[in-house]
Amino acid sequence: MLTMSEDDASVFAALRAGARGYALKGTGGTDFIAAVRAVARGEAVYGAAVARRIRRFLATGPGSGPFPELTQREREILDLLASGKSNADIARILFLSLKTVKNHLTNVFAKLQAADRAQAVVRARQAGLGE
């Protein structure tokens, strides 16, 4: 897979889909060609950043904690949302821009298939977040 996305959700979606290689768009031409040839030989090729994510995933195991489909940052933001924090509060607490918080919440709502904040908060509280 050649992509510009290196977030956990993208990496693990590609792995679940059967990707044996995961290269970021910034990969040099020679390295990229070598990776394609290695995958063609049946090898698996992942960059250092992706390999670290895979090792962390294997160390914690699939489904550890609530909402394994969320990144750690998304889960952290959902936890703060479930505890009654506003977007501005979350941005201040996590030292993020308001736009970044809104982007993460959009991803959270999509991954949880929640129509709005209220649905996401209910699901988070049922899972033990926000306490």
Side-chain angles (χ1 to χ4, degrees), residues 67 78 81-82 109 112 114 116-129:
F67 310 117
L78 179 60
L81 182 71
F109 298 160
L112 298 183
D116 55 24
R117 293 173 75 91
Q119 281 187 352
V121 166
V122 167
R123 294 214 35 220
R125 288 187 179 160
Q126 288 172 339
L129 298 180

Side-chain angles (χ1 to χ4, degrees), residues 6-8 12 49-62 64 71-72 75:
E6 61 177 310
D7 60 283
D8 287 348
F12 295 119
V50 172
R52 279 191 299 275
R53 290 175 189 277
I54 293 169
R55 279 193 301 276
R56 186 182 74 231
F57 175 77
L58 293 175
T60 60
S64 62
T71 64
Q72 181 167 340
R75 208 171 4 267

